[in-house]
Amino acid sequence: MALPAILDKCLRLPVIAAPMFLASGPELVLACCRAGIVGSFPVKNQRSIEGLDEWLTEIGEGCMALETETGHPTPPFAANLIVHRSNESLEAELDMVVRHKVPLVITSLGAVPELVGRVHDYGGLVFHDVINLRHAQKAIEAGVDGLIAVAAGAGGHTGKASPFALVNEVRQVFDGALLLSGTMATGGDIAAAQVMGADLAYMGTRFIGTAECRSPEDHK
């Protein structure tokens, strides 16, 4: 399927490094972008709105510096928002995302048209986590640009469906950017995801062992 223009020409590998709670920060995001894939982080990894402002400034300036250094477009970065009603700071987090014009916003636990609209207003994209066809249909109705099929074995808000079944179901109703998440770690896994019908692989655990990951060394 056709990828959004912001991703089509700048990726060395068809991969988004998934946002990992407590593990992903500016260092990992920028290392991923330097390597030619999308780096991302959960907004909740930064415990204050002021700190989020600092992180987004650091990442944005870092991406611009990479483009100057390499002379070619750097992959965009992504910020992950928890949209569930229990997130009392969502509005403040979204305001900061809009202020910094984060190029790619990954939403979890709620597809809200108003949020999608605010990101679209400044030219950003919204990709949404889904674990079944019903969630996919709701996200499509909300106007998202891409879907992340969270299959069995994925971390975080994980699903229970087979990746084969989930990708096939979603592709029946959606021809936009589709990512596959769940127990992928190798180039062969990425190729298999594309053969199944996904555009990009969404991988997290593989990046825990990196020097830039914020996880404790004994966990790595």
Side-chain angles (χ1 to χ4, degrees):
M1 308 301 149
L3 283 174
I6 194 174
L7 295 172
D8 190 35
K9 301 298 183 182
C10 61
L11 294 179
R12 294 183 193 172
L13 290 172
V15 172
I16 289 181
M20 296 180 289
F21 186 56
L22 302 182
S24 307
E27 305 88 353
L28 183 55
V29 170
L30 290 171
C32 288
C33 292
R34 176 182 289 276
I37 65 174
V38 175
S40 71
F41 74 100
V43 165
K44 288 299 184 189
N45 280 3
Q46 180 43 259
R47 297 309 195 184
S48 70
I49 296 301
E50 295 77 15
L52 178 59
D53 187 15
E54 293 172 1
W55 273 21
L56 290 173
T57 298
E58 179 181 351
I59 294 169
E61 291 177 350
C63 285
M64 288 190 292
L66 280 175
E67 289 202 7
T68 300
E69 176 186 330
T70 61
H72 57 74
T74 297
F77 72 94
N80 176 214
L81 289 172
I82 301 299
V83 186
H84 193 269
R85 60 181 177 273
S86 62
N87 181 10
E88 297 179 354
S89 57
L90 174 60
E91 284 302 316
E93 293 165 353
L94 177 59
D95 286 345
M96 195 58 65
V97 162
V98 171
R99 174 183 169 186
H100 285 269
K101 297 183 178 180
V102 174
L104 176 57
V105 177
I106 297 168
T107 53
S108 304
L109 300 177
V112 178
E114 292 78 13
L115 184 154
V116 175
R118 289 194 64 189
V119 176
H120 283 172
D121 284 345
Y122 67 77
L125 300 176
V126 178
F127 287 1
H128 185 68
D129 287 346
V130 301
I131 62 172
N132 55 40
L133 184 59
R134 181 173 64 88
H135 288 174
Q137 290 169 327
K138 285 187 174 182
I140 294 166
E141 291 170 3
V144 302
D145 305 284
L147 297 175
I148 304 166
V150 185
H157 178 52
T158 186
K160 298 179 180 179
S162 156
F164 294 95
L166 187 55
V167 169
N168 283 332
E169 279 195 328
V170 172
R171 272 295 179 225
Q172 290 177 25
V173 298
F174 185 66
D175 62 0
L178 178 60
L179 288 65
L180 179 60
S181 172
T183 65
M184 288 182 291
T186 69
D189 297 338
I190 296 169
Q194 291 187 303
V195 169
M196 277 192 278
D199 299 294
L200 301 170
Y202 194 69
M203 304 169 68
T205 304
R206 184 73 179 183
F207 297 95
I208 291 176
T210 61
E212 294 84 3
C213 178
R214 290 180 163 239
S215 294
E217 291 302 315
D218 59 347
H219 179 63
K220 294 180 183 183

